[in-house]
Amino acid sequence: MSNLLTRVLVALVAIPLFVVLVLTGGWTFAVFVAVLSALGVREFCQLMETKGASPNALLTLTAAFVLPLSLYFDTLHQSSFAFASAIVFSVLILATELWRERAHPLMNIATSLGALSYVSLLFMSLILIRSFSLSISSADRKSTRLNSSHANIS
């Protein structure tokens, strides 16, 4: 099977799935974004390994999956769990590099944190955009109800 045919077949399945998940939202969309984030971070780490870096792949992949879910939790409960999770994972990446006996520890730390900053934050913005658009639409409905109730009074 050619590369183009494979891409077209994946797009035929992935695009409708993505549209359905965006429209339905909720925890299924958050899990979908977390899986995409983890896959993107895995690819980033593999690319950096070809350049001589040795990122902490297990911890970085775990963070890439957990951080979008914690951000979704934050949008529901107005908490700062995502921020706390990001700090915990950053400290864990820094601390574990002390005991890993790999060459270029600063490059390994930069690769792990860079993967989270560059790839995972991009995917996490999908959750923020969706929650922001929902808050605008709910505020718009409230103002419409208020305007119609004031029209009845006058």
Side-chain angles (χ1 to χ4, degrees):
M1 190 178 325
S2 73
N3 193 14
L4 178 63
L5 181 62
T6 304
R7 288 174 187 246
V8 169
L9 290 176
V10 167
L12 286 174
V13 173
I15 291 172
L17 176 68
F18 182 73
V19 169
V20 167
L21 287 171
V22 167
L23 292 176
T24 57
W27 65 270
T28 54
F29 179 67
V31 169
F32 178 70
V33 169
V35 168
L36 287 179
S37 174
L39 289 173
V41 164
R42 184 188 73 162
E43 186 172 347
F44 183 87
C45 287
Q46 287 174 345
L47 285 171
M48 293 308 291
E49 285 173 353
T50 63
K51 301 295 182 190
S54 178
N56 190 338
L58 179 65
L59 194 54
T60 307
L61 286 173
T62 304
F65 186 79
V66 169
L67 288 175
L69 296 177
S70 63
L71 182 65
Y72 172 71
F73 178 78
D74 282 356
T75 61
L76 292 178
H77 302 290
Q78 314 306 326
S79 65
S80 58
F81 185 66
F83 182 70
S85 299
I87 290 174
V88 166
F89 279 113
S90 297
V91 168
L92 283 174
I93 288 170
L94 290 168
T96 56
E97 194 60 40
L98 291 174
W99 289 281
R100 291 175 66 204
E101 295 180 10
R102 307 279 171 93
H104 313 293
L106 290 178
M107 184 168 67
N108 300 338
I109 292 169
T111 302
S112 296
L113 295 179
L116 292 177
S117 302
Y118 180 64
V119 179
S120 193
L121 283 178
L122 174 70
F123 284 110
M124 289 169 65
S125 67
L126 293 173
I127 294 173
L128 288 175
I129 290 169
R130 186 162 195 311
S131 67
F132 183 68
S133 66
L134 289 177
S135 66
I136 288 176
S137 64
S138 67
D140 204 19
R141 278 182 275 174
K142 287 178 185 176
S143 68
T144 304
R145 276 185 276 160
L146 288 175
N147 290 338
S148 64
S149 66
H150 289 297
N152 295 337
I153 294 173
S154 16

